[in-house]
Amino acid sequence: VSTQRHGDRQSRKQKMSDLSASHSDELWLVFTRYCLDGNPFDVEHIISSQFTHLCKDIEISSTTANTSFMQASRLNPTARVGFHEFLHALKLVAESQSVPVNDFITNTVLPKASRRIVAPLPVDRASIIDTYGQYLNSFDQLFFYYTSTRGKVEPELNFGAEPVISYSQYVNMLHDFGVVSGSSPIVSLVDAGDAFLSSSRSGPPKYHAEFKRGDRILLSLDEFREALFRCSLLAHQTSKSVTPQNKLKSFLLHMFRTATQSDDFRASDAADSTSDFARQFLEIWRSDDFQDYSWTADSQQEKASSLERLLNNRANKDDLVRRNILHAELGPESLRKAGLRQRMDSLDGLLKRRASTQELMDKNILKSSIMTGRLHDAQTNLVKKQNRSQLSQLLVKRPSVNTLVEKRIMTAITEEE
């Protein structure tokens, strides 16, 4: 019996090896896509619901998906399976359809399933180190700190001479620096996971017997630098005119601000490991006159042009407000004036709708009078007279109300100047 089981395992490994040899890289992109969508905290395993989602995308029933996943996960429907178990599950699905596994992958899975797209870098990998420039040495200290799991060594990662960082350690770092968490995260965890995966140059993970947790995706120091460089590009993907170098500097500036301004970070163990980075970044930032690295003259001009077009297309322009906004630098003061103009336009709209408001008041007063039908006729007539009298007084006073509103508008404009 033992010999038979061993033979079955060897046969299954051989079939999986044949499958992975022909389509390994493409299936890896499919596998990690559904891993990220299912649980961005774990890019090394796929969960049952996401495998079912995959099967739905390739037009396979959920019953077949669940059965195949349970067999691949050793009859544990709540389990997470790694890449090699994922390949075995696909083989089981192919067998349930009576289709050769490679034909099933080529004609069904790859054409219909979602997959990650590895974005090309704007610079070659050798230039990334130059992009880090003066920050390199102090920044690398962060890598060595987090490779020890914030000071606690992870034994199963110490199988080689070169230090490596796991995905969980990488996420810990991004979380500590407020990149994927906090009040103003700059990158989604899904994008950060994609950057991590895209930076790995080893392809699909190989199974290491000494790992207690099976397949692992690990990054070297160079790959770690690339992953954060990719994060910086994703954080500023809408800023077309900002250079890749300044996108990275802006990303590091966010990390610097978190390290120096967050009370939680300063109270953590990571604070000591970032002291050299913070000190060096501050010196370089000072030499750059505390520049906002995400700012460009083109983007500033684009904002000014958009504001000018908005003002030119607006009916009832106020020349005074328009001149001040166009000739002032874009900043809090100008934006405040623009906000004032919007409030004034809203007020103009209310005044234009004054006639319809008056009619509505008349209808409401009459409706209110009718609703008092339970009262005696004399009381009803008295209420109607009082209401009409009040309405007449309001209508008499309307010109003075208009004058008061206009005076307040002119006072607000004068104060803004």
Side-chain angles (χ1 to χ4, degrees), residues 211-411:
F211 287 167
K212 297 178 181 179
R213 286 177 287 180
D215 301 337
R216 299 301 300 272
I217 309 168
L218 307 169
L219 299 187
S220 65
L221 175 57
D222 287 344
E223 292 169 334
F224 170 74
R225 293 168 180 160
E226 179 182 331
L228 294 189
F229 181 64
R230 286 182 179 274
C231 282
S232 71
L233 300 179
L234 290 168
H236 301 89
Q237 55 187 324
T238 60
S239 304
K240 305 299 183 182
S241 56
V242 181
T243 65
Q245 291 77 10
N246 277 351
K247 288 181 180 180
L248 176 62
K249 289 181 179 180
S250 180
F251 182 83
L252 298 178
L253 175 59
H254 178 89
M255 294 177 58
F256 166 79
R257 284 172 169 162
T258 301
T260 56
Q261 298 176 10
S262 170
D263 293 335
D264 292 338
F265 188 92
R266 290 200 299 266
S268 67
D269 296 335
D272 292 337
S273 67
T274 61
S275 58
D276 290 342
F277 163 73
R279 188 184 311 108
Q280 189 175 40
F281 185 91
L282 180 59
E283 292 175 359
I284 299 173
W285 193 29
R286 183 183 290 114
S287 66
D288 289 339
D289 295 326
F290 301 102
Q291 175 185 347
D292 180 358
Y293 296 113
S294 63
W295 179 93
T296 65
D298 291 341
S299 62
Q300 187 81 340
Q301 181 63 36
E302 183 179 350
K303 291 179 182 178
S305 300
S306 299
L307 181 58
E308 186 173 6
R309 287 195 300 270
L310 178 64
L311 291 173
N312 286 334
N313 292 333
R314 183 178 295 165
N316 303 327
K317 295 184 294 289
D318 187 286
D319 292 337
L320 183 61
V321 175
R322 179 179 182 275
R323 185 176 65 253
N324 285 334
I325 293 178
L326 290 178
H327 294 283
E329 292 183 357
L330 284 175
E333 185 65 22
S334 297
L335 294 177
R336 190 168 63 85
K337 292 181 179 180
L340 172 64
R341 181 60 203 168
Q342 292 176 350
R343 292 195 298 272
M344 291 169 58
D345 287 346
S346 299
L347 182 57
D348 289 340
L350 288 174
L351 293 177
K352 289 178 181 179
R353 294 195 298 270
R354 188 172 54 206
S356 60
T357 303
Q358 175 187 337
E359 294 177 359
L360 181 62
M361 290 175 59
D362 290 341
K363 290 180 180 179
N364 286 339
I365 291 175
L366 292 175
K367 181 179 180 180
S368 176
S369 299
I370 294 173
M371 293 297 292
T372 58
R374 295 180 180 178
L375 300 176
H376 296 294
D377 293 339
Q379 292 175 328
T380 303
N381 292 333
L382 179 61
V383 171
K384 289 182 180 179
K385 290 180 181 180
Q386 289 177 345
N387 288 338
R388 288 171 181 169
S389 176
Q390 292 174 358
L391 177 60
S392 299
Q393 293 176 6
L394 287 174
L395 296 177
V396 170
K397 293 180 180 180
R398 186 173 58 192
S400 60
V401 173
N402 294 346
T403 303
L404 179 60
V405 170
E406 293 172 356
K407 286 182 179 181
R408 291 187 177 179
I409 292 175
M410 297 304 298
T411 301

Side-chain angles (χ1 to χ4, degrees), residues 9 13 54 57 68 78 107 128 157 169 199 298 345 411:
R9 286 196 298 267
K13 287 183 178 180
L54 165 63
D57 291 343
S68 301
T78 63
N107 301 325
I128 293 179
L157 299 185
Q169 294 167 339
S199 301
D298 291 341
D345 287 346
T411 301

